[in-house]
Amino acid sequence: MKIIYISENKIYKCENGKIAELPSERVLHYTGTIAQINKNKEWKNSGTGAEFMGAAVHPGSEENAYVNINGVAAGGLGIVYSMRLGDMGGIYSKSIDNPNEAEAHIFTGMNTNISTISIKNDRIATSIDGHLAVSDFKGNLDEITDGDSREEDPSWSLTDNRIFCTTAGLARDSRGIIAAVSPRSIMAVDLDGGSIKELYSDEDYDFLKPKNNSHGNLYYIKQPYKAPQEKDPLWKDILLFPFRILKAIGGFLNAFSVIFGGESLQSGKKHGDVKTKQKSDKELYLEGKLLEAEKNEKENSAKGDKNPGILPVNRVLVRTEADGKETVIKRGVLDYTVLDNGDIICSNGKALIRIGEGGEEIIAKAKLAHSICVIK
């Protein structure tokens, strides 16, 4: 059994406890092209003049090289994955036994966001620009949902021709900008009957990553919904505007002093404090929110978790049966997949864990592993 997952924007294969990266040909080509472009215009992006004008590109940076690998699933030559490269979204197929073989192109679109994917009978379910869509391996795409909502986490049902996904309503301000997102609920889209049915919703909770097993039991991750904070009124922004301008000028002068004088204008600050620092495990972000890793791990441990992770204790993996009975499988779960025999492989943010009748066992260390799938 091979476990495939995404960790820190890279695709990995775990087999018999051994981890190996599956490099993306598309990412390597794209970042290589960006690096070559930067090298060709290096003359105007280096030196004190470029530093002063804010046009400097420091060694190791890749200007405009935006890469985000969003989803992976078993299918095609081995796996299919979705990504965003700059302004282009794409879906590609890749061999896992021969990872150096040329990847197969399935779909690309400019200014397109493609999220996680699920595959069944050579059909790919995904979310494109926030709406549920189905594609074949030739890239023929059908958009299933529309409207002012956001659908995510699609998953084919193992028992019928439905797709499970989450959905959330969008609230916009007078300028048409998204001001708030409602709690995420679970819905099932019946492709045979052409119907959509809401399965679970609660104004106090988000329901995430729905999947079912061959017995029809539904699994999902449940966490408290946090309503967005109200923005400051316009009068407050006007009142604080002069102070923010002064703060910006001070920041510019301090950066100018560091660049050309090597010293900060702020007492107790060293040159290295001003430059970008590598984020520690205390500064991890999940779903756009700061993840308090150490605090969460302590709380999970205090709850008696055998393998405490770094996700909040109130983010729980739940199984619901046909009679409506709910069972909490594990707390602090980032993502998961359900095996044919009923076992679960999940990520707690630190490691891949297998949960079965015999309890829990750690398969391998894996930082923030998500989009987990299995190839037999």
Side-chain angles (χ1 to χ4, degrees), residues 205-208 220-224 314-316 318 326:
Y205 289 93
D206 278 324
F207 294 86
L208 314 170
Y220 52 81
I221 291 175
K222 182 178 179 181
Q223 68 179 14
N314 55 14
R315 182 181 169 111
V316 297
V318 176
E326 291 189 358

Side-chain angles (χ1 to χ4, degrees), residues 21 35 44 53 75-76 85 116 126 141 145 152 185 193 195 204 223 268 271 283 291 303 319 349:
E21 183 184 349
K44 63 179 180 179
M53 297 298 294
L85 297 176
T116 55
T126 186
L141 190 75
T145 62
E152 297 174 324
S185 58
S195 63
D204 295 323
Q223 68 179 14
H271 178 89
E283 298 173 295
L291 184 63
K303 287 284 186 178
R319 180 185 67 233

Side-chain angles (χ1 to χ4, degrees), residues 69-113:
I69 300 178
N70 297 316
V72 62
L77 300 174
I79 61 171
V80 174
Y81 69 96
S82 59
M83 61 157 52
R84 178 73 181 259
L85 297 176
D87 295 327
M88 181 183 69
I91 302 176
Y92 303 95
S93 178
K94 179 179 183 65
S95 170
I96 60 170
D97 295 323
N98 300 291
N100 293 325
E101 284 186 0
E103 298 177 357
H105 165 264
I106 296 175
F107 173 84
T108 52
M110 290 301 296
N111 300 313
T112 301
N113 289 308

Side-chain angles (χ1 to χ4, degrees), residues 132-144:
L132 184 65
V134 174
S135 170
D136 59 20
F137 274 73
K138 296 181 180 179
N140 299 311
L141 190 75
D142 291 323
E143 192 168 300
I144 307 299

